[in-house]
Each structure stands twice: as structure tokens, then as C-alpha cells.
């Protein structure tokens, strides 16, 4: 959806940093960029909002319904990337 999100090139891999550090989890994507005869591997680190956006886009493309008014966050659950969705009734009972 955002052509400038990653540089043009082949995705070589990714690393998920599930953290308790400030900013939450991070996703680092390694991309091989080619500029003429020069090949360079770039590491692109995404932020928490980028990861949530990617997960929501994945759900939409796979026809997985998500409540619009829900609070959404990305997390690492049992070593896997997950989209955490909390809807209004959960938000009210947790308060």
C-alpha cells in the first residue's frame, strides 16, 4: 500500500525483536538493493505502528474481520508475532 515503505530489491529475511524496551516490538527487514553494479544489503527497522498496520492489512486481505472501534497492538506471543485486538466491552471491564 505504501511503495516507499521498503527500498526496491529482494527481501532477504527479517528479524522480530519482541521487546519490553521503549517503543515495544520491532521488525527488522533485510533488503538487497541494487544500484547499477553495486549491491547493498539494507536493514529497515519498522516501528510498532507500522507492524500493527501490516497485521491489519494482512487480516483485511485474508477476509479476517476486525472491529473498527477496537484498540489494536502488536505483540510477541509464544515467540510469534500477533495482533492483539481489544474491543469496547474488554476496555470497560478492565477499567
Amino acid at each position: 500500500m505504501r511503495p516507499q515503505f521498503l527500498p526496491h530489491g529482494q527481501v532477504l529475511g527479517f528479524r522480530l525483536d519482541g521487546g519490553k524496551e521503549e517503543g515495544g516490538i520491532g521488525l527488522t527487514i533485510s533488503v538487497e538493493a541494487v544500484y547499477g553494479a553495486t549491491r547493498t544489503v539494507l536493514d529497515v527497522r519498522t516501528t510498532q505502528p507500522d507492524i500493527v498496520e501490516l497485521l491489519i492489512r494482512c487480516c483485511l486481505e485474508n477476509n479476517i474481520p476486525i472491529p473498527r472501534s477496537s484498540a489494536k497492538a502488536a505483540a510477541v506471543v509464544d515467540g510469534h508475532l500477533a495482533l492483539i485486538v481489544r474491543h469496547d466491552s474488554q476496555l470497560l471491564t478492565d477499567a
Side-chain angles (χ1 to χ4, degrees):
M1 295 303 298
R2 289 190 289 161
Q4 56 279 60
F5 181 73
L6 289 176
H8 292 282
Q10 181 177 353
V11 174
L12 300 176
F14 63 91
R15 183 177 66 251
L16 183 63
D17 305 314
K20 303 191 187 298
E21 74 274 357
E22 186 177 326
I25 65 171
L27 180 65
T28 302
I29 305 165
S30 295
V31 179
E32 181 182 46
V34 179
Y35 303 102
T38 305
R39 294 180 182 269
T40 305
V41 176
L42 303 170
D43 285 336
V44 178
R45 180 156 165 75
T46 63
T47 61
Q48 175 85 2
D50 291 329
I51 296 170
V52 171
E53 183 179 329
L54 289 169
L55 291 170
I56 290 171
R57 175 45 89 204
C58 180
C59 289
L60 293 174
E61 289 179 3
N62 289 285
N63 297 317
I64 300 169
I66 302 172
R68 258 182 224 257
S69 61
S70 60
K72 299 161 192 77
V76 176
V77 178
D78 294 332
H80 300 282
L81 182 59
L83 177 64
I84 307 299
V85 179
R86 297 181 60 136
H87 57 81
D88 290 339
S89 65
Q90 284 178 310
L91 295 174
L92 292 174
T93 58
D94 289 345

